[in-house]
Amino acid sequence: MSETEWEIDVIRKTLTLVVTTALLFSNTLLAQEIPASHGIAMHGDLKYPATFRHFEYVNPDAPKGGTLRQAVVGTFDSFNPFIIKGSSADGIGLTFDTLMTRSLDEPFTQYGLIAQSVRMPESRRWVEFDLRPEAKFSDGSSITATDVVETFRLLREEGSPFYKAYYQDISKIEALSENSVRFEFGETENRELPLIIGEVPILSASYWRDKEFSKPSLEPMLGSGPYTVGSFEAGRSITYVRNDSYWGRDLAVNRGRFNFDQMQFDYYRDGTVALEAFKAGQFDFREENSSKNWATAYTGPALDDGRIKRELVKDANPAGMQAFVMNTRRAQFSDKTVREAIAYGFDFEWTNANLFYDAYTRSHSYFSNSEMAATELPSEKELAILEPLRGQIPDEVFTKVYKAPTTKGDGRNRNELRTALKLLNSAGWNLKDGKLINKAGEQFKFEILLVQKDFERVVAPFIKNLEKLGMSVSIRIVDVSQYINRLRSYDFDMVVGSFGQSSSPGNEQREFWGSDAAQQEGSRNIIGIQDPAIDKLIEALIQAPNREQLVLHARALDRVLQWNHFVVPQFHIGSHRIAYWDKFGFPEVRPTYSLGIDTWWSKE
């Protein structure tokens, strides 16, 4: 290098250093100029001011004590809920705290828990959390920014594939000091990201330093939550004990919550046995998901004399979509026309009247029971979202309102089956000698995989109708562990699945319908959707700048999912069906978006 070249190189490096230092200094000043807040709202303002003492839906003077016993159908063999392997114990989230905690009477708003304050610009391109100095793990060690950084490293590099996809927009995580951590998001416009970061359970970096994170284990993990793991018997029972030294017990966001001394979860292999155990007083609370049970099985002395109470509690959350889910990775479900035809085999009206005591409402939308459901023709504002995708999405999106096939409910659905057969004929399937066959002479066959034997009565009439079309359909019922493993590896033809939705949908839509998720084992894109147009709609939804745009983009996405006929929609109910032994107290005001069991207390 010549002397002149050397001088130029020195000048270049010096200028680079000056510019970099100036940018860092500028960013620091910018962060300092942005006022710290005690909470984050997805859209709109915070309901609770910085000086609030407790949420409105709690009793701040609720007594502590007693045990809440609940039942789980299934098993568990791990305390690690963050990995793809193993079945984690129910209730394990009680042992962890998060940076922020959600208020249950706002659509999507969070207030500081481990974090005492948060800062971010209007663009939401980065967010900084200042941790509470008093925040501690249950062993007394302090929660620091290092723990936050290591938590996200573990989840994204060694946790379930879900985390890598869910937090893919985070470009940098940096501990600014012992109690301050910064997340940067690059060029993305993901307004939800600061909030979903706030929901992540924070793990101890020192605890995991010499342990294998990706391996299931029954060693209780070190957490910082209001409860710790007490006694347990793998696959049968687990009891969580309220931590009397819990660091956050007096915070405004926790006052009036976590009132039981113990939270016990008992495991049952069969739902019918669990119901009988509940009526016999073996556990205290049950949310019923069977309309038949709700209508006929809640009988006996304890119900007659009022020791067991039953309630319908209105659910303000979107119902999402429960459906017969087709695995489009399978050749027989790769054709949209075939998928549409199969939907005509499900007679909801007959099923609702004869099996469900007319307890349910038919689902037509992936955002049922919400303003985000596409129930009318697209508005001009919605068309502005959809028009650039014309030719890439079904034509019906622009001209029709989707509605799942309906019948008279009398069990004679010949017209619907004729429609289905016409669609199948147009897709190259023909009825010959009672069998639906393709040009190669192969019969249309598939298997419905179930984990709940009770659902067999719902599936059987559906199969009967499909058999009238010449299909060969079978049922396979497996245990919980096998079912989970087969779903994770997409080893199924059709299942009964559900896609829950929140009042503020966002990043999870990538996991439900995104092309990248379809390739990742263990993702929630069990349908196998790989559609560039749907990917664009998902990203636009995530970047929605306000509530109005969020609703418009959700409706646009809903329409495209509907008219691709990925599922056979089933049904939903707008209430929680709960039963409980009369030993609990409740706040006068109940939360809007949850049952709020952590606000109950023992009257005994």
Side-chain angles (χ1 to χ4, degrees), residues 428-463:
W429 294 89
N430 292 281
L431 190 61
K432 184 177 181 180
D433 298 328
K435 294 182 179 181
L436 188 69
I437 60 173
N438 58 17
K439 292 179 179 179
E442 301 165 326
Q443 186 178 13
F444 196 107
K445 295 182 178 181
F446 68 92
E447 174 187 271
I448 301 177
L449 184 69
L450 296 177
V451 68
Q452 291 178 298
K453 184 172 177 59
D454 291 347
F455 218 83
E456 191 173 6
R457 69 192 184 100
V458 181
V459 175
F462 179 45
I463 290 178

Side-chain angles (χ1 to χ4, degrees), residues 218-259:
L218 283 171
E219 175 187 337
M221 300 165 61
L222 178 62
S224 59
Y227 290 86
T228 58
V229 175
S231 60
F232 68 90
E233 185 177 354
R236 301 196 62 173
S237 179
I238 180 169
T239 299
Y240 301 94
V241 180
R242 189 161 55 84
N243 183 3
D244 289 332
S245 301
Y246 174 47
W247 72 273
R249 63 183 179 276
D250 295 323
L251 296 177
V253 294
N254 286 335
R255 194 165 290 129
R257 301 172 62 203
F258 313 121
N259 301 313

Side-chain angles (χ1 to χ4, degrees), residues 27 58 77 119 141 153 208 232 240 248 251 256 277 334 455 467 490 502 507 518 522 562 586:
N27 287 337
V58 306
D77 57 11
R119 284 183 302 278
S141 60
R153 188 199 68 79
W208 287 106
F232 68 90
Y240 301 94
L251 296 177
S334 61
F455 218 83
E467 287 176 340
Y490 312 123
S502 73
N507 273 29
Q562 289 171 330
F586 314 92

Side-chain angles (χ1 to χ4, degrees), residues 338-480:
V338 170
R339 299 195 298 265
E340 180 183 0
I342 289 173
Y344 282 92
F346 180 52
D347 189 342
F348 165 76
E349 286 71 24
W350 181 91
T351 302
N352 195 35
N354 291 274
L355 301 182
F356 296 150
Y357 301 85
D358 286 320
Y360 292 111
T361 299
R362 183 70 189 272
S363 296
H364 302 285
S365 165
Y366 287 79
F367 298 92
S368 295
N369 197 42
S370 82
E371 63 179 333
M372 294 171 286
T375 58
E376 298 177 351
L377 287 172
S379 64
E380 289 186 12
K381 291 182 178 180
E382 227 185 301
L383 287 172
I385 298 169
L386 294 166
E387 279 294 349
L389 300 174
R390 189 182 284 273
Q392 304 173 52
I393 57 179
D395 293 337
E396 296 92 335
V397 165
F398 299 93
T399 59
K400 298 180 181 178
V401 176
Y402 175 83
K403 190 174 183 181
T406 58
T407 70
K408 295 178 181 179
D410 57 6
R412 295 187 290 272
N413 58 336
R414 295 187 183 90
N415 290 336
E416 289 73 29
L417 294 181
R418 287 193 193 99
T419 300
L421 193 56
K422 288 179 181 178
L423 289 167
L424 291 166
N425 291 161
S426 69
W429 294 89
N430 292 281
L431 190 61
K432 184 177 181 180
D433 298 328
K435 294 182 179 181
L436 188 69
I437 60 173
N438 58 17
K439 292 179 179 179
E442 301 165 326
Q443 186 178 13
F444 196 107
K445 295 182 178 181
F446 68 92
E447 174 187 271
I448 301 177
L449 184 69
L450 296 177
V451 68
Q452 291 178 298
K453 184 172 177 59
D454 291 347
F455 218 83
E456 191 173 6
R457 69 192 184 100
V458 181
V459 175
F462 179 45
I463 290 178
K464 185 176 180 180
N465 285 332
L466 295 178
E467 287 176 340
K468 291 177 182 178
L469 296 172
M471 296 182 183
S472 174
V473 187
S474 60
I475 297 176
R476 181 181 294 272
I477 302 172
V478 297
D479 61 32
V480 174

Side-chain angles (χ1 to χ4, degrees), residues 175-398:
L176 302 178
S177 68
E178 184 177 5
N179 291 316
S180 183
V181 61
R182 179 184 175 104
F183 294 79
E184 296 181 4
F185 311 137
E187 295 302 313
T188 183
E189 294 184 10
N190 187 338
R191 296 184 60 81
E192 185 190 35
L193 207 46
L195 287 95
I196 63 176
I197 288 172
E199 293 180 320
V200 176
I202 301 304
L203 310 176
S204 167
S206 61
Y207 174 83
W208 287 106
R209 188 169 295 127
D210 59 352
K211 294 180 176 64
E212 187 177 349
F213 186 73
S214 59
K215 183 179 180 181
S217 172
L218 283 171
E219 175 187 337
M221 300 165 61
L222 178 62
S224 59
Y227 290 86
T228 58
V229 175
S231 60
F232 68 90
E233 185 177 354
R236 301 196 62 173
S237 179
I238 180 169
T239 299
Y240 301 94
V241 180
R242 189 161 55 84
N243 183 3
D244 289 332
S245 301
Y246 174 47
W247 72 273
R249 63 183 179 276
D250 295 323
L251 296 177
V253 294
N254 286 335
R255 194 165 290 129
R257 301 172 62 203
F258 313 121
N259 301 313
F260 296 103
D261 282 346
Q262 296 186 4
M263 299 281 282
Q264 180 177 320
F265 295 84
D266 294 329
Y267 281 74
Y268 293 83
R269 296 287 184 176
D270 182 85
T272 303
V273 174
L275 175 56
E276 294 305 314
F278 168 71
K279 292 192 290 184
Q282 296 301 305
F283 59 96
D284 307 314
F285 167 82
R286 175 180 173 88
E287 182 168 6
E288 183 56 67
N289 58 15
S290 167
S291 59
K292 180 182 179 181
N293 285 344
W294 190 251
T296 65
Y298 284 81
T299 58
L303 286 121
D304 294 339
D305 61 25
R307 285 175 293 154
I308 292 179
K309 304 290 186 182
R310 295 201 302 161
E311 283 188 55
L312 281 174
V313 181
K314 184 172 176 56
D315 185 4
N317 288 297
M321 173 66 80
Q322 178 177 304
F324 292 106
V325 179
M326 291 170 270
N327 184 356
T328 62
R329 301 171 185 85
R330 297 287 202 256
Q332 61 265 48
F333 298 128
S334 61
D335 189 322
K336 178 168 69 74
T337 303
V338 170
R339 299 195 298 265
E340 180 183 0
I342 289 173
Y344 282 92
F346 180 52
D347 189 342
F348 165 76
E349 286 71 24
W350 181 91
T351 302
N352 195 35
N354 291 274
L355 301 182
F356 296 150
Y357 301 85
D358 286 320
Y360 292 111
T361 299
R362 183 70 189 272
S363 296
H364 302 285
S365 165
Y366 287 79
F367 298 92
S368 295
N369 197 42
S370 82
E371 63 179 333
M372 294 171 286
T375 58
E376 298 177 351
L377 287 172
S379 64
E380 289 186 12
K381 291 182 178 180
E382 227 185 301
L383 287 172
I385 298 169
L386 294 166
E387 279 294 349
L389 300 174
R390 189 182 284 273
Q392 304 173 52
I393 57 179
D395 293 337
E396 296 92 335
V397 165
F398 299 93

Side-chain angles (χ1 to χ4, degrees), residues 4-256:
T4 302
E5 290 173 330
W6 179 82
E7 290 174 345
I8 292 173
D9 188 55
V10 169
I11 293 171
R12 179 180 58 79
K13 290 179 178 177
T14 302
L15 287 173
T16 300
L17 179 61
V18 169
V19 171
T20 302
T21 303
L23 286 172
L24 289 172
F25 183 66
S26 174
N27 287 337
T28 302
L29 287 177
L30 179 60
Q32 291 174 347
E33 290 172 359
I34 294 175
S37 175
H38 64 293
I40 312 173
M42 181 62 189
H43 299 295
D45 299 324
L46 301 173
K47 175 178 179 177
Y48 295 95
T51 56
F52 85 102
R53 299 294 303 249
H54 58 81
F55 292 127
E56 289 181 359
Y57 51 82
V58 306
N59 173 6
D61 300 315
K64 306 293 184 184
T67 299
L68 173 61
R69 301 172 301 168
Q70 299 179 67
V72 184
V73 176
T75 186
F76 75 93
D77 57 11
S78 173
F79 288 141
N80 189 341
F82 308 110
I83 58 175
I84 195 171
K85 297 177 182 177
S87 299
S88 62
D90 268 51
I92 196 66
L94 294 166
T95 66
F96 297 101
D97 269 341
T98 52
L99 291 170
M100 313 285 285
T101 191
R102 190 168 182 172
S103 66
L104 302 180
D105 54 355
E106 298 174 84
F108 193 10
T109 301
Q110 294 177 346
Y111 297 89
L113 182 52
I114 292 176
Q116 64 182 359
S117 61
V118 57
R119 284 183 302 278
M120 61 183 180
E122 178 61 30
S123 66
R124 299 197 181 190
R125 292 291 178 87
W126 54 264
V127 63
E128 290 181 2
F129 297 94
D130 294 325
L131 312 187
R132 300 182 193 271
E134 68 270 27
K136 298 185 184 301
F137 291 104
S138 58
D139 66 351
S141 60
S142 295
I143 302 175
T144 68
T146 300
D147 297 306
V148 178
V149 174
E150 180 63 6
T151 294
F152 279 84
R153 188 199 68 79
L154 286 169
L155 294 179
R156 295 202 295 176
E157 295 181 10
E158 302 180 44
S160 169
F162 162 77
Y163 294 106
K164 184 177 181 180
Y166 205 49
Y167 306 120
Q168 68 181 25
D169 289 337
I170 300 174
S171 59
K172 184 180 180 181
I173 309 173
E174 180 183 8
L176 302 178
S177 68
E178 184 177 5
N179 291 316
S180 183
V181 61
R182 179 184 175 104
F183 294 79
E184 296 181 4
F185 311 137
E187 295 302 313
T188 183
E189 294 184 10
N190 187 338
R191 296 184 60 81
E192 185 190 35
L193 207 46
L195 287 95
I196 63 176
I197 288 172
E199 293 180 320
V200 176
I202 301 304
L203 310 176
S204 167
S206 61
Y207 174 83
W208 287 106
R209 188 169 295 127
D210 59 352
K211 294 180 176 64
E212 187 177 349
F213 186 73
S214 59
K215 183 179 180 181
S217 172
L218 283 171
E219 175 187 337
M221 300 165 61
L222 178 62
S224 59
Y227 290 86
T228 58
V229 175
S231 60
F232 68 90
E233 185 177 354
R236 301 196 62 173
S237 179
I238 180 169
T239 299
Y240 301 94
V241 180
R242 189 161 55 84
N243 183 3
D244 289 332
S245 301
Y246 174 47
W247 72 273
R249 63 183 179 276
D250 295 323
L251 296 177
V253 294
N254 286 335
R255 194 165 290 129

